[in-house]
Amino acid sequence: LDVQAKNISSGINAEYGGDSGCQEVAAAASQIPGVEKVLVSESSALKGQISEAVSAVILDVQAKNNYSHILANGTVFGKNILPRIGAKLDVAPISDIIGVQSEDTFVRTIYAGNAIQTIQSIDPVKIVTVRSTAFEAAPSEGGSAATETVEVDVSNDKSEFIEAKISKSDRPELASANIVISGGRGLKNGENFEMLYTLADKMGAAVGASRAAVDAGYVPSDLQVGQTGKMIAPDLYIAVGISGAIQHLAGMKDSKTIVAINKDGEAPIFQVSDYGLVDDLFKAVPEMIEGIEQQ
């Protein structure tokens, strides 16, 4: 978040909390230019980073330091934490910004990305989630921030972390991959996604899916790209058998290059694509795989 934070304030503190491994993350964060201090809270009460516990830490730190802005990534994690912080501080959170005009004025998308809104906040504390794909990443070296341990007595009797089931894959992470190949309802079933997995492995790509494919049970929900899934902006996005519903376009239309494969030449996905192939995906994808293998 440090690139956009620099546009807001010259004094940036980063905060990390969890039950273990926080010092390693803090050491990496301290190397980011522009960060003045890294606050670390490590406690068994923060296991699983559930919102009730994490928000208690943030509120305690806010009470001691009186920050003007509290920012988090516009991920499920950030959107789970900051609304609670906003309610406790009695301020209105601003979600999913894509630009910073000044300390109190931000740019965000509305109507599934079809309109751009500029919003000015008069709240004493600005609570903001950020669409990270809209900003360049900050350098990972060159800084020398101090690290401070934050001791907080976290009292949480409302929720308990049970377990985390994490999908493991040798493919790149969907949210940060340079190349993403996504499939839609046009693949007809989950077994046919094997074609995309094969193509992705040969291209070093991540695999995504439309909401329709997820709702149909073809793939798990962590592959969903769109307004209610992951917001991504890879260098190359290949949409296979995806019609291009508004909520899906909102999650991928910032991609540098978009390639669409669909047998319906009138599909909305072609309106945002840089390259389009009107063809049967069950013919086109195997041909792509064969072409790569012959190189």
Side-chain angles (χ1 to χ4, degrees):
L1 299 179
D2 297 288
V3 168
Q4 52 265 36
K6 289 176 184 176
N7 295 328
I8 296 172
S9 172
S10 58
I12 303 170
N13 286 187
E15 183 175 352
Y16 295 90
D19 65 319
S20 63
C22 294
Q23 295 296 337
E24 295 179 10
V25 177
S30 68
Q31 299 299 311
I32 299 174
V35 175
E36 292 184 353
K37 184 188 294 183
V38 180
L39 306 176
V40 183
S41 181
E42 193 165 287
S43 167
S44 59
L46 293 172
K47 185 176 182 180
Q49 298 180 319
I50 54 180
S51 60
E52 290 85 355
V54 174
S55 60
V57 175
I58 296 174
L59 288 167
D60 183 83
V61 171
Q62 172 64 15
K64 294 176 180 176
N65 295 278
N66 193 29
Y67 294 113
S68 60
H69 298 73
I70 301 176
L71 283 72
N73 264 331
T75 58
V76 172
F77 175 78
K79 292 176 181 178
N80 189 32
I81 303 295
L82 291 201
R84 180 178 295 272
I85 301 297
K88 292 289 187 178
L89 297 178
D90 194 25
V91 299
I94 300 171
S95 63
D96 219 24
I97 66 166
I98 61 171
V100 177
Q101 292 192 350
S102 68
E103 292 186 354
D104 63 0
T105 306
F106 309 92
V107 181
R108 63 189 293 267
T109 60
I110 56 176
Y111 301 118
N114 287 296
I116 304 295
Q117 179 185 62
T118 300
I119 183 169
Q120 185 177 32
S121 172
I122 60 174
D123 286 326
V125 181
K126 280 60 173 180
I127 307 294
V128 183
T129 61
V130 180
R131 184 181 298 184
S132 58
T133 57
F135 298 86
E136 292 185 9
S140 59
E141 297 179 344
S144 57
T147 299
E148 178 181 316
T149 299
V150 178
E151 299 293 344
V152 179
D153 182 16
V154 179
S155 177
N156 171 35
D157 58 1
K158 297 182 176 62
S159 60
E160 179 185 1
F161 176 76
I162 304 298
E163 65 175 340
K165 294 183 178 179
I166 302 173
S167 299
K168 295 184 178 180
S169 174
D170 293 331
R171 300 184 189 95
E173 170 65 29
L174 177 58
S176 58
N178 292 324
I179 304 173
V180 173
I181 303 172
S182 286
R185 195 197 301 271
L187 276 102
K188 298 182 180 180
N189 58 56
E191 288 75 17
N192 288 330
F193 261 80
E194 290 298 329
M195 288 191 302
L196 300 194
Y197 296 142
T198 300
L199 180 59
D201 290 342
K202 294 185 179 301
M203 297 182 66
V207 174
S210 68
R211 177 175 176 175
V214 171
D215 288 348
Y218 299 170
V219 292
S221 60
D222 59 348
L223 296 187
Q224 183 175 325
V225 174
Q227 188 178 19
T228 54
K230 290 184 171 66
M231 299 281 192
I232 61 175
D235 293 333
L236 173 62
Y237 186 85
I238 303 176
V240 181
I242 295 176
S243 62
I246 290 176
Q247 79 89 25
H248 182 76
L249 299 182
M252 45 65 69
K253 66 181 182 180
D254 290 332
S255 303
K256 307 301 184 295
T257 301
I258 300 173
V259 177
I261 302 173
N262 200 301
K263 65 180 180 182
D264 179 8
E266 301 299 319
I269 190 70
F270 288 118
Q271 296 178 13
V272 299
S273 64
D274 299 286
Y275 302 94
L277 175 61
V278 180
D279 201 352
D280 184 348
L281 68 88
F282 295 102
K283 171 176 174 289
V285 174
E287 289 178 348
M288 292 173 66
I289 295 172
E290 183 181 354
I292 294 173
E293 291 175 340
Q294 292 176 353
Q295 290 185 355

